[in-house]
Amino acid sequence: MQYSHEDENFPLTRFESMLKTNDILFFDSSEFENIIHHYLENGKIALSKRAIKLGLEQHPTSINLRLFQVEILVIENKFAEADDLLDQLHNLEPTNEEIFIQKANVLSKQDEHQKAIDTLLIAIDMSSTPEDDADLYALVGMEYLFLDQFEKAIIYFKKCLESDTNDYSALHNIIYCYDFLNLNEEAIEYLNKFLDTNPYCEVAWHQLGRQYFAIKEYAKASAAFDFAIISDDTFVGAYLEKGKVLEKLKNHEEAIENYKITLALDDPTSFALLRIGQCYSKLGQDDLAIQFFKKTIDEDALLDKGWLAITKFYMKRLDYQNALDYIKKAVAIDGDNVLYWKLFATINKRLNFLEEAEQGYKRAIELGNYELDTWLNRTDILVELGEYQAAIFNLLQTIEFYPENAEVEYRLAGLYFMVHQTEEGRFHLKNATHLNIDYSFIISELFPQLTDRPVIKAIISEAKKASN
């Protein structure tokens, strides 16, 4: 319940006035309940506790005020005290379903989800108004979600919708469960049945469109989003999803129109701006594409897809200097983004800025990017820089992730020969030729000065004969 501080007739205003003046005013128990509920809704725990204390002084036998006391104890993680108080209340009112609901809440907070379910089912059995039990069914459904028992969760969320067809949270949870179980067809069947009796439910049409999109039935998805828009022509999500479908259908002009509608309906979103930029890029309208990519990063500087899009836009057009300028800005904003560092390395490599490229690959590895190409690219740059020992150390780390890899072994062989560790070189070269003789060109490509070494020629030649 919401209160206005300007109206002196509301209990909340009187209560707060009482706190300031230390006067003692009388409130009936339902007024205290509304005041406490208001404070809890707004996260004002201290005021909630004050209202509960004063409420119990005036209404010491109120079960509902005691139940608010239980809520506070749960918030403060005082589960044993909450449990004791609930036992006392149960002795006083053994048929009060709210006591069982709070008991289930205490159990859930302690990860006793099956016990919480059992307790909620007792509350449902005790209910005198089964047609109004949507909230209880939702609680049971959430407990099953905690247990990853999605099939059972679906049953109870469906019961919510049977009690209240406007419970869109339950509808979302049903589809979430179907998605988790990869049951798109079942979700589609359920949504179509739901829409038979609720044909103007924009949320259901939107969800149906998403399911068709997931199974790549784009024409049906587009139709579903159209019905969502007919049901509510201000439904931003439907326009966004329709835009995505139109992109899949290569209808970029109409996709742009749908994305632009969302900009008119609500504050611009970085997602819509980015998609408009991508559409213009695919249409070859570069000036408009770059305009919207810039708007994307202006709208949300933390959206990595925006920075990646504008960087790759310039890379595709071989404009590496502009690409480098933008990826530097991205790195300055988020220095822990692996994708930024890989692009930073790639661009610097294309510009022949080898030290910077090596730094980029090294940082990507430090951040957990252990893809083979990252290790190999860093190695090849270190070789070009003449940093042979660093390259060897890099490859020895690579072996931990990619043992028995020919590309790694050929590089190690060449490097060991370069630093005059002949035995190690022979060992790794033999390993390499045994794994894959076709990669022997790596030696001549990375280490041309080694090509005429008799020992290397002999090992490779012998391996080629053996493979034939």
Side-chain angles (χ1 to χ4, degrees):
M1 183 179 294
Q2 298 297 318
Y3 295 103
S4 168
H5 284 267
E6 296 173 2
D7 192 335
E8 291 295 328
N9 293 321
F10 278 101
L12 182 66
T13 308
R14 290 177 58 233
F15 180 77
E16 293 189 347
S17 174
M18 180 183 77
L19 294 180
K20 291 174 184 175
T21 61
N22 288 323
D23 293 336
I24 302 300
L25 302 177
F26 180 82
F27 299 85
D28 65 37
S29 61
S30 64
E31 287 178 324
F32 270 118
E33 289 170 28
N34 289 331
I35 291 166
I36 296 161
H37 180 75
H38 171 80
Y39 285 139
L40 285 173
E41 287 267 292
N42 289 279
K44 297 180 178 179
I45 306 304
L47 284 170
S48 301
K49 291 168 77 171
R50 188 81 181 274
I52 291 169
K53 182 176 182 295
L54 292 170
L56 285 170
E57 286 174 1
Q58 293 186 15
H59 306 280
T61 60
S62 170
I63 297 292
N64 287 342
L65 291 178
R66 289 287 185 192
L67 286 169
F68 276 122
Q69 208 171 17
V70 171
E71 280 194 51
I72 296 294
L73 290 170
V74 171
I75 290 169
E76 295 175 340
N77 294 326
K78 296 176 180 177
F79 302 122
E81 291 178 46
D83 222 21
D84 289 342
L85 183 51
L86 284 168
D87 288 340
Q88 293 171 32
L89 297 178
H90 180 256
N91 290 333
L92 294 170
E93 285 193 13
T95 59
N96 186 328
E97 66 183 80
E98 188 62 35
I99 293 171
F100 288 91
I101 294 169
Q102 288 292 349
K103 180 78 170 175
N105 185 33
V106 173
L107 289 165
S108 181
K109 295 290 185 182
Q110 297 175 92
D111 296 327
E112 297 275 7
H113 300 297
Q114 188 57 57
K115 288 182 180 178
I117 290 167
D118 296 338
T119 306
L120 287 167
L121 293 177
I122 294 171
I124 290 171
D125 287 339
M126 294 172 65
S127 173
S128 57
T129 56
E131 68 280 0
D132 297 326
D133 284 345
D135 289 345
L136 284 174
Y137 293 134
L139 290 173
V140 176
M142 291 306 299
E143 293 301 320
Y144 276 124
L145 283 186
F146 289 133
L147 292 170
D148 290 341
Q149 295 183 23
F150 298 99
E151 296 89 346
K152 290 182 179 177
I154 287 172
I155 293 169
Y156 282 90
F157 288 128
K158 284 182 177 179
K159 287 178 183 285
C160 294
L161 272 185
E162 289 166 12
S163 297
D164 178 6
T165 55
N166 292 319
D167 188 347
Y168 297 145
S169 176
L171 182 60
H172 282 294
N173 282 326
I174 291 167
I175 303 308
Y176 168 80
C177 292
Y178 278 129
D179 282 343
F180 194 91
L181 296 167
N182 293 315
L183 298 175
N184 300 106
E185 297 292 348
E186 287 80 354
I188 289 168
E189 182 183 352
Y190 176 76
L191 286 165
N192 276 316
K193 283 182 181 176
F194 181 81
L195 285 162
D196 285 342
T197 53
N198 302 275
Y200 296 105
C201 178
E202 71 277 10
V203 175
W205 283 116
H206 178 256
Q207 291 291 341
L208 182 62
R210 289 182 65 252
Q211 293 301 314
Y212 280 129
F213 186 88
I215 61 173
K216 300 182 179 179
E217 291 202 28
Y218 299 126
K220 289 182 179 179
S222 181
F225 293 130
D226 281 338
F227 281 116
I229 291 166
I230 290 168
S231 302
D232 178 2
D233 62 4
T234 64
F235 190 178
V236 170
Y239 290 107
L240 289 174
E241 296 290 348
K242 179 79 186 289
K244 286 165 61 178
V245 172
L246 290 165
E247 283 193 70
K248 290 291 184 182
L249 295 171
K250 310 296 184 188
N251 190 343
H252 296 107
E253 292 94 341
E254 199 176 336
I256 289 169
E257 288 175 21
N258 277 268
Y259 290 133
K260 284 188 174 179
I261 289 170
T262 72
L263 305 183
L265 288 172
D266 203 350
D267 292 334
T269 64
S270 55
F271 175 82
L273 295 168
L274 175 62
R275 295 319 313 162
I276 293 170
Q278 296 285 23
C279 287
Y280 277 129
S281 180
K282 286 170 184 173
L283 290 168
Q285 299 183 39
D286 288 359
D287 289 345
L288 286 169
I290 202 66
Q291 178 184 325
F292 277 90
F293 287 146
K294 288 178 179 177
K295 285 182 179 180
T296 302
I297 56 178
D298 287 342
E299 180 65 31
D300 184 0
L302 296 177
L303 180 71
D304 60 357
K305 289 180 180 178
W307 292 104
L308 296 173
I310 198 167
T311 302
K312 289 178 180 178
F313 175 89
Y314 283 118
M315 288 178 71
K316 192 174 179 182
R317 286 149 186 79
L318 307 183
D319 185 350
Y320 294 116
Q321 191 54 59
N322 258 323
L324 183 59
D325 290 343
Y326 277 99
I327 204 63
K328 280 183 176 179
K329 291 176 185 176
V331 166
I333 290 170
D334 182 4
D336 292 331
N337 189 307
V338 171
L339 298 175
Y340 291 168
W341 283 108
K342 284 205 74 172
L343 271 183
F344 176 86
T346 302
I347 295 164
N348 276 295
K349 186 178 177 185
R350 298 273 171 85
L351 291 168
N352 207 35
F353 299 156
L354 299 183
E355 288 89 351
E356 291 83 355
E358 189 275 327
Q359 177 197 357
Y361 288 124
K362 181 183 179 185
R363 186 74 183 114
I365 291 168
E366 288 171 350
L367 291 169
N369 181 260
Y370 300 141
E371 293 173 4
L372 181 60
D373 75 297
T374 307
W375 294 101
L376 296 183
N377 278 320
R378 183 177 180 228
T379 299
D380 294 349
I381 290 171
L382 287 169
V383 169
E384 203 166 342
L385 291 169
E387 300 283 350
Y388 300 141
Q389 290 295 348
I392 289 171
F393 181 70
N394 185 63
L395 287 174
L396 292 176
Q397 289 178 290
T398 311
I399 285 176
E400 295 177 19
F401 298 93
Y402 300 95
E404 303 296 306
N405 182 281
E407 292 181 84
V408 174
E409 292 292 327
Y410 276 113
R411 284 170 169 81
L412 263 178
L415 283 162
Y416 277 123
F417 279 117
M418 289 298 294
V419 297
H420 309 296
Q421 292 181 239
T422 305
E423 286 307 309
E424 287 84 350
R426 286 165 57 90
F427 172 79
H428 285 287
L429 186 56
K430 285 183 178 181
N431 273 354
T433 55
H434 175 72
L435 289 167
N436 193 331
I437 189 61
D438 293 335
Y439 280 108
S440 59
F441 68 86
I442 289 173
I443 295 293
S444 58
E445 197 171 85
L446 286 181
F447 311 100
Q449 59 271 59
L450 297 177
T451 306
D452 295 327
R453 286 269 189 101
V455 64
I456 294 172
K457 290 173 71 173
I459 292 171
I460 292 174
S461 177
E462 187 178 330
K464 284 182 177 178
K465 285 178 186 176
S467 67
N468 292 329

